Each structure stands twice: as structure tokens, then as C-alpha cells.
Amino acid sequence: MNRAGMLRIAAYGIIGLGAALLIAALLLSTYTSGKIQKIPLNIDESLVSDGTGTALDPASLSGERFIIDKNVPLVSQRQITVESPANADVVTFQVGTSVRRSDKQQDNGLLLAMVDTVTLNRSTALAVSDDTHPGGSVQKPRSIEDDKPATNIALPHDGLSYRFPFNTEKKTYPYFDPIAQKAFDANYDGEDDVNGLTTYRFTQNVGYDADGKLVEPIKYASLYDNDEEGQVTARASLWGLPGPPDDPVTMTRYYAAQRTFWVDPVTGTIVKATEHANHYYARDPLKPEMALADYKVTTTEQTIEDQVAAARDERDRVGLWSRVLPISFTAAGLVALIGGALLGMFSVRAEAALIDPGLDTADHGFFGKDETGPMPAAEAATEKMPAARPDLESPPDR
């Protein structure tokens, strides 16, 4: 095979490569990006918030009167890990949440603890739950001395939990509260900059109105079989009530909360949050009589930095597959198509020169000799008529 033939084969190959790159760019920007924009399966987060509040002194439960301390330092910690099932379609979070007084040692300062499990759709971040697959559970409380395996209580979840969806929109989302055991609206409330990251701010009210007034608190859903923490009967003196000290008084536990989430709209990661939660006992739900824990906590700076870094990493991963590679493949594909076409034209000229060095290269195309040319009549041979030869030897006049 001569050099011109090899050049033509190379030109075809480069053009084919360019077409393949353009097809790959199209697939990356449509099909593949949808597969990439999913909740990761390797999440292992420790989210810490701190603040102050009014809280019960646990040691007073065995005293003569329940003691409520004000302006105590509090720490809320949430540990999120991935459990089974976790696959291409769903991810399951096991979330351990605790609130403790940081001025008390070990379990003496523990106010609240819960282990929540929820299965989410990795694309929509919505809970996967139906009658046969509740898609969620909470762990039944155990005493410190209890060494038996934990028992889970089925708890159907709905709405979002612990994340927002990729490409979060400026709208209202249902967001699940595992203490209230139902979803409440998280309303879009504006944009804010958090450590250089543009975020969407969402607010949620559980039992409160927008002004922070109790309007419809939630009766606490006890996780014990006999509802021993949902409704408590004690002497009036223990409650600190006037009247006969030994009169039994029954109070019901209620719960209300206000939350603000700052969400990365690209990945749905919650990078910052504030929470005002109020657990209290009362005979009238709108008139709290004894606070169990009434506090406000905000995500710590270290946790914010970690969450912003995680959101940026996820952004980079999504951007690589949905923007950078499609644009790069498109540019490379166009360059390959143009380069292949130019190489093809050069190979035709080279082949024409090998066949007949005197041929005008303009008479040849990429796919062979250009058969178009002058009309046949224009190339017809011109017939020449013989001219009369003069007689140079004429006889002289006589």
C-alpha cells in the first residue's frame, strides 16, 4: 500500500474517532450525568452543634423536687452511617442523635438519645416506604445495664431525611421529623453565603408558627411499651406546684421545634443548621409547666467546614462527568473531524500526484478523480483545411 492510501485510511480513522467522541459527549451530558447525581454510598459523618438552653437536672429525678437549670451549655451530636440495603437505587442511613449537657459528666448529662434508620431513593432523596417495606425504624431505648441486642420499631418515613435532592429547587419540601414521626414543610426562605458557598436557606416549623409562638405542639410518641415517658404522674411537690404537696398530678410530654437548613443546591448537602427544640411537660399543651429540654443549637464551625468541603468534592465529581468531560470530548471530537477531513484532502492530492504528476489536483476529490471537466465538444479535434501552394515557377510571359 502506498503512502497516499495509508493517509486516506488514517483520515477515515480520525474522522471515526471524532464521531465517537461527539457521541460520548452526548451520552455523558444526558444519560451518565443522571447516574452520577445520586447520594453517595460512602457517607460517614459526625455532625456537631452547640448552644445553650433550659434543661432538667437528671440527678433531681430522685430528689424532693425536679430541678430546672437555665442557660446551661448543650451539645447535640449526630452520627450518620450507611447500612444495608444500599445499592444503585437506594441508600439506608442509620442516624444516632444525642443531646447532652456539657457541664455534666458522661450519662449524667444525657437529655435525649435516638437511633433512626431510613431508606432513601438515591436520586430524589425521598424515603422509600410502603405497607410491606416501611423504609424506616427507630431503636427502642435501653437502660445502661441492658446488654441485649437493640430492638428496632418499624417507623414508616416520608419526605426527605437528613439531605435534600441534587439540584435542589427554590420550593417547599416535606422533611421528616423522627421525634414527631411525620413530615413537616421545609419552606425556601432565600440564599446565603456559607464559607464561600452559595446555599439555599429553608425553614421548618413543628408545632410553632413563623413568629415562634406555640400553636400546635406534638404529643410525644413514647418508644416504651407502657408510654412511661409520654405521660408522668408525680406528687405536686415534685412538679413544684402549689397546693397539697402529696396530691398526684399527671402531666403529658409535648414537643415542638423550629429549624433552619442551609443547603448546597447542587448536591443537596446540608452544610449548616440551627435548631430550637422544646421538650416539656404540661397539662395544657399550649402552657408549658416543666421544661425537660428547651434549647437552641447551631452547627459548629468545624462541622460547617467539613460539610462545605464535602459538598465541594461532590460538586467537582458531578461537574467532571456532566460538564468538563462532555465539553472536552465535544472539542476533541470537532478537532478530530476537521483534522481527518484535511488529512483526507491531502491524501487525495498525494494519490493524484502519484498517478499522474502532470494532473491538476483541482480535478481530484476525496473519493477519487473528479470526472467533471470541459464539455466533450470543447475537446474535439479541429480539422485543418490544406492551403493552396503558390506556383513559384510560373512560365514567363510571351
Side-chain angles (χ1 to χ4, degrees), residues 238-294:
L238 283 173
W239 294 114
L241 298 175
D246 293 330
D247 282 0
V249 177
T250 299
M251 291 197 186
T252 302
R253 180 174 172 177
Y254 293 95
Y255 162 75
Q258 287 182 304
R259 298 183 180 90
T260 302
F261 307 101
W262 284 266
V263 180
D264 172 30
V266 176
T267 66
T269 302
I270 301 174
V271 299
K272 178 183 176 182
T274 63
E275 179 178 23
H276 170 214
N278 189 3
H279 297 257
Y280 63 91
Y281 286 96
R283 288 168 287 184
D284 182 338
L286 297 180
K287 296 179 180 179
E289 296 184 75
M290 194 195 82
L292 175 60
D294 183 5

Side-chain angles (χ1 to χ4, degrees), residues 49-90:
S49 301
D50 58 15
T52 59
T54 299
L56 172 71
D57 182 355
S60 69
L61 294 174
S62 58
E64 293 298 323
R65 180 178 177 178
F66 300 143
I67 298 175
I68 309 301
D69 297 326
K70 297 182 178 180
N71 297 319
V72 297
L74 297 171
V75 174
S76 173
Q77 186 166 1
R78 176 169 291 163
Q79 185 70 39
I80 304 178
T81 57
V82 174
E83 305 292 333
S84 180
N87 51 47
D89 299 319
V90 300

Side-chain angles (χ1 to χ4, degrees), residues 277-334:
N278 189 3
H279 297 257
Y280 63 91
Y281 286 96
R283 288 168 287 184
D284 182 338
L286 297 180
K287 296 179 180 179
E289 296 184 75
M290 194 195 82
L292 175 60
D294 183 5
Y295 60 90
K296 183 175 182 179
V297 293
T298 302
T299 307
T300 63
E301 285 299 323
Q302 182 60 55
T303 299
I304 293 173
E305 291 179 7
D306 294 342
Q307 291 299 96
V308 169
R312 291 190 184 280
D313 289 343
E314 193 65 19
R315 278 190 173 203
D316 292 343
R317 185 179 71 90
V318 172
L320 174 66
W321 289 95
S322 63
R323 290 193 303 276
V324 176
L325 289 180
I327 292 174
S328 300
F329 283 7
T330 298
L334 292 175

Side-chain angles (χ1 to χ4, degrees), residues 66-350:
F66 300 143
I67 298 175
I68 309 301
D69 297 326
K70 297 182 178 180
N71 297 319
V72 297
L74 297 171
V75 174
S76 173
Q77 186 166 1
R78 176 169 291 163
Q79 185 70 39
I80 304 178
T81 57
V82 174
E83 305 292 333
S84 180
N87 51 47
D89 299 319
V90 300
V91 61
T92 300
F93 288 159
Q94 185 177 81
V95 183
T97 302
S98 65
V99 178
R100 66 176 59 249
R101 293 178 55 164
S102 56
D103 61 339
K104 299 286 185 179
Q105 297 297 319
Q106 300 179 350
D107 292 324
N108 291 327
L110 184 64
L111 298 175
L112 303 167
M114 170 175 280
V115 178
D116 179 37
T117 301
V118 58
T119 300
L120 304 176
N121 182 299
R122 292 182 62 197
S123 298
T124 65
L126 294 172
V128 179
S129 182
D130 54 42
D131 293 338
T132 57
H133 301 85
S137 64
V138 289
Q139 196 173 102
K140 188 175 180 179
R142 295 182 298 167
S143 63
I144 299 176
E145 297 80 11
D146 190 354
D147 57 358
K148 296 179 181 179
T151 302
N152 289 330
I153 304 171
L155 176 61
H157 288 56
D158 63 313
L160 307 176
S161 293
Y162 309 108
R163 284 186 72 100
F164 280 69
F166 278 83
N167 302 314
T168 300
E169 300 179 36
K170 299 177 180 180
K171 67 177 188 180
T172 297
Y173 289 93
Y175 191 91
F176 191 77
D177 186 318
I179 297 176
Q181 300 187 0
K182 60 185 294 187
F184 294 83
D185 287 345
N187 301 302
Y188 173 75
D189 196 37
E191 293 186 12
D192 286 319
D193 181 279
V194 178
N195 287 18
L197 188 71
T198 299
T199 63
Y200 290 174
R201 185 177 66 253
F202 292 86
T203 57
Q204 183 190 49
N205 291 304
V206 179
Y208 284 109
D209 63 13
D211 297 324
K213 180 182 178 181
L214 278 172
V215 290
E216 196 175 352
I218 307 299
K219 184 180 181 299
Y220 185 79
S222 177
L223 300 178
Y224 289 99
D225 294 334
N226 55 1
D227 193 26
E228 62 186 57
E229 59 181 345
Q231 199 168 53
V232 175
T233 299
R235 301 190 315 271
S237 60
L238 283 173
W239 294 114
L241 298 175
D246 293 330
D247 282 0
V249 177
T250 299
M251 291 197 186
T252 302
R253 180 174 172 177
Y254 293 95
Y255 162 75
Q258 287 182 304
R259 298 183 180 90
T260 302
F261 307 101
W262 284 266
V263 180
D264 172 30
V266 176
T267 66
T269 302
I270 301 174
V271 299
K272 178 183 176 182
T274 63
E275 179 178 23
H276 170 214
N278 189 3
H279 297 257
Y280 63 91
Y281 286 96
R283 288 168 287 184
D284 182 338
L286 297 180
K287 296 179 180 179
E289 296 184 75
M290 194 195 82
L292 175 60
D294 183 5
Y295 60 90
K296 183 175 182 179
V297 293
T298 302
T299 307
T300 63
E301 285 299 323
Q302 182 60 55
T303 299
I304 293 173
E305 291 179 7
D306 294 342
Q307 291 299 96
V308 169
R312 291 190 184 280
D313 289 343
E314 193 65 19
R315 278 190 173 203
D316 292 343
R317 185 179 71 90
V318 172
L320 174 66
W321 289 95
S322 63
R323 290 193 303 276
V324 176
L325 289 180
I327 292 174
S328 300
F329 283 7
T330 298
L334 292 175
V335 170
L337 287 177
I338 295 172
L342 293 176
L343 182 61
M345 294 174 61
F346 177 78
S347 69
V348 168
R349 296 181 62 180

